[in-house]
Amino acid sequence: QAIERVLDFFPAQERHQVRRQLGLALRALVSQRLVPSREGGRLPALEILRTSDTVRQLFEKVELHLLKTAILQGENEGMQTFDQALLALAAARRLTDETALHYAESPEALRMNLRGIFTSETRLLR
């Protein structure tokens, strides 16, 4: 969503060039959501996108809807989705499962992961 927000600042006829330039210049994008912690206060849940050859190709081909898949496939490169961050925080008992599910982008997939069920469609953490 952060990339789409940046692109919205530009007129439609300029977005292709801006998207291409972002793909070439961007090194990483970190998005943060603050979620209530178990102890009180808030914790950051971070989505991390690092620019790889795959990510650059997605920018070039205007297939930004596939970025989440690229993030999931880029775990070994330090990438993670919000739901992966929420799962890790819940596993560390830093937030409740209910809080994680409330803030999740894919609550049903996260619910399965919290129960230890991982499929190719719901794989968030290995």
Side-chain angles (χ1 to χ4, degrees), residues 57-120:
Q57 288 175 11
L58 293 176
F59 273 89
E60 184 67 30
K61 295 177 181 178
V62 193
E63 294 179 334
L64 299 181
H65 63 282
L66 296 175
L67 286 176
K68 183 174 181 178
T69 302
I71 293 171
L72 287 168
Q73 293 173 349
E75 282 181 85
N76 59 347
E77 297 175 40
M79 295 190 223
Q80 73 177 12
T81 66
F82 280 118
D83 287 358
Q84 286 175 313
L86 292 170
L87 181 60
L89 290 169
R93 312 295 298 155
R94 301 209 47 215
L95 55 85
T96 65
D97 291 356
E98 293 78 21
T99 299
L101 291 167
H102 177 76
Y103 286 91
E105 292 182 343
S106 302
E108 288 307 313
L110 182 58
R111 185 181 321 279
M112 291 176 65
N113 292 154
L114 287 167
R115 293 179 181 161
I117 301 168
F118 297 87
T119 66
S120 60

Side-chain angles (χ1 to χ4, degrees), residues 31-52:
S31 297
Q32 169 182 286
R33 291 184 191 163
L34 296 175
V35 296
S37 76
R38 184 182 289 271
E39 301 86 27
R42 297 200 171 263
L43 294 169
L46 304 176
E47 182 168 79
I48 303 169
L49 169 73
R50 298 187 63 175
T51 305
S52 63

